[in-house]
């Protein structure tokens, strides 16, 4: 399955309700009613659009092998199934993870990129309740059970007594896990300014200062504790984490040469840019702006992952 949400594999389901498999068109139509929700849950859980689509596809395959007439609440059943699939994927990641700590800190989840004045309807579902890239970065640091409890309860209002069996904990212990995750998120990923125009003003000021080599102007637009994460992919020398306004400003001066190639875009619903040169995306840059200052810059420049992103919409 690719990152656009198209379904590949043994069973093909589309919005018209056609299905190749034992479920038939009626079951496929019922599944399609929940696809957007399931993809939103999976994306928040996994931070990967491709893996999110794979999880949704696996949920369909499991439904197709089940007697749906015995399922009283299909939406709840599917949410439980896709949550278990995501939890297993997260646990598998932890077991096979061999990256150094520095690489993990610089990891940037898959961004959702859309034109500044128009968000794709499919992305609107993914972006509901504001899931900024900085928030997704912090969620990458949560333990699998913490992440599941936080995502399901805080983002989708699933009761703790329904989440508890998924992680084999009591409802009280599950509540504690979600609370611990919530404190991490609030401490490391503050809510951005709601005014998109104010966000864009700060981003524009950042690139104007970088273009003109105005170091102090860069410092002024950055929060004193700003964090810049740059993910250039496995083994990428540019995968770094920088902290502090003057440190980040020193690095940002180098972005001045990129100014002619910057295209404004929405990155996970917030002001950001895509750097495109000769019809090739060089990087996606997401900015978190709080109180008119930039508190986080998350940069994805991994060529392999950029190729998988659908950036064609920016041409429109």
């Amino acid at each position: 399955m690719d990152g656009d949400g198209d379904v590949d594999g043994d069973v093909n389901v589309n919005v018209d309700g056609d299905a190749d498999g034992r479920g038939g068109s009626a079951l496929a139509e019922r599944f399609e009613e929940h696809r957007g929700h399931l993809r939103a849950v999976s994306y928040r859980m996994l931070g990967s659009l491709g893996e999110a689509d794979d999880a949704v596809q696996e949920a369909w395959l499991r439904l197709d092998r089940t007697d749906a007439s015995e399922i009283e609440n299909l939406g709840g059943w599917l949410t439980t199934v896709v949550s278990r699939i995501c939890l297993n994927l997260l646990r598998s990641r932890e077991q096979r993870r061999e990256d150094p700590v520095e690489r993990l800190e610089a990891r940037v989840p898959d961004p959702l990129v859309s034109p500044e004045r128009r968000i794709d309807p499919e992305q609107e579902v993914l972006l509901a309740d504001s899931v900024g890239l900085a928030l997704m970065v912090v969620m990458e640091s949560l333990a699998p059970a913490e992440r599941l409890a936080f995502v399901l309860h805080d983002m989708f209002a699933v009761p703790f007594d329904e989440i508890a069996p998924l992680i084999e904990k009591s409802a009280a212990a599950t509540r504690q896990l979600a609370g611990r995750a919530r404190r991490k998120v609030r401490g490391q990923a503050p809510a951005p300014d709601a005014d998109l125009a104010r966000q864009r003003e700060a981003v524009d000021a950042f690139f104007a200062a970088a273009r003109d080599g105005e170091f102090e102007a860069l410092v002024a637009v950055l929060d004193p504790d700003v964090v810049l994460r740059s993910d250039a992919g496995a083994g990428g020398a540019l995968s770094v984490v920088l902290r502090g306004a003057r440190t980040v400003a020193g690095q940002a001066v180098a972005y001045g040469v990129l100014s002619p190639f910057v295209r404004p875009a929405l990155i996970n619903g917030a002001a950001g840019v895509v750097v495109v040169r000769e019809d090739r995306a060089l990087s996606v840059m997401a900015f978190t702006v709080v109180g008119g200052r930039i508190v986080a810059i998350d940069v994805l420049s991994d060529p392999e992952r950029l190729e998988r992103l659908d950036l064609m919409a920016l041409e429109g």
Side-chain angles (χ1 to χ4, degrees), residues 22-294:
R22 295 179 298 121
S25 61
L27 183 59
E29 287 174 357
R30 292 179 65 196
F31 178 81
E32 287 302 321
E33 293 174 2
H34 299 282
R35 177 184 291 279
H37 167 75
L38 298 176
R39 194 166 184 250
V41 170
S42 300
Y43 172 65
R44 286 160 173 76
M45 283 287 294
L46 300 171
S48 164
L49 292 169
E51 287 186 343
D53 285 334
D54 287 345
V56 174
Q57 173 70 352
E58 178 61 25
W60 160 252
L61 293 173
R62 295 189 186 187
L63 176 62
D64 190 45
R65 295 193 294 264
T66 302
D67 184 355
S69 65
E70 297 182 357
I71 301 175
E72 294 183 6
N73 178 354
L74 183 60
W77 187 90
L78 287 169
T79 298
T80 296
V81 168
V82 85
S83 296
R84 283 200 177 105
I85 293 168
C86 291
L87 182 62
N88 289 336
L89 283 170
L90 289 174
R91 287 172 171 168
S92 177
R93 275 188 200 170
E94 281 207 331
Q95 292 172 358
R96 67 175 187 266
R97 186 166 280 164
E98 298 178 354
D99 292 332
V101 173
E102 294 79 6
R103 165 67 186 139
L104 296 178
E105 289 180 346
R107 169 76 179 178
V108 174
D110 286 350
L112 298 171
V113 183
S114 55
E116 194 164 33
R117 302 185 183 280
R118 176 172 54 84
I119 298 179
D120 182 89
E122 184 174 307
Q123 288 191 342
E124 283 191 271
V125 178
L126 289 177
L127 290 169
D129 301 322
S130 181
V131 57
L133 203 59
L135 172 60
M136 295 293 293
V137 167
V138 175
M139 290 201 296
E140 290 282 298
S141 69
L142 300 178
E146 282 182 331
R147 188 164 184 170
L148 182 139
F150 175 74
V151 167
L152 290 185
H153 181 267
D154 284 44
M155 295 184 172
F156 295 98
V158 178
F160 287 121
D161 59 357
E162 294 181 19
I163 302 171
L166 294 173
I167 54 176
E168 300 178 336
K169 301 278 187 183
S170 67
T174 303
R175 183 188 299 273
Q176 290 180 338
L177 282 176
R180 187 186 310 156
R182 192 179 306 119
R183 288 190 293 273
K184 289 181 182 178
V185 167
R186 288 177 178 172
Q188 300 178 48
D193 291 341
D195 187 345
L196 191 57
R198 192 177 190 190
Q199 294 182 31
R200 179 55 60 190
E201 182 179 345
V203 174
D204 288 346
F206 172 88
F207 281 104
R211 180 190 62 230
D212 298 335
E214 296 288 345
F215 182 81
E216 293 302 329
L218 274 168
V219 172
V221 77
L222 297 171
D223 183 87
D225 298 318
V226 63
V227 178
L228 183 149
R229 300 177 190 85
S230 179
D231 185 348
L238 297 179
S239 292
V240 296
V241 178
L242 303 176
R243 293 180 170 84
R246 303 192 76 82
T247 301
V248 172
Q251 174 69 29
V253 170
Y255 288 123
V257 298
L258 300 177
S259 294
F261 311 108
V262 166
R263 298 188 186 182
L266 292 181
I267 312 299
N268 284 55
V273 304
V274 179
V275 181
V276 181
R277 183 165 58 188
E278 298 178 354
D279 296 324
R280 185 171 70 90
L282 301 181
S283 64
V284 172
M285 301 179 65
F287 294 78
T288 304
V289 179
V290 178
R293 286 188 170 185
I294 297 168

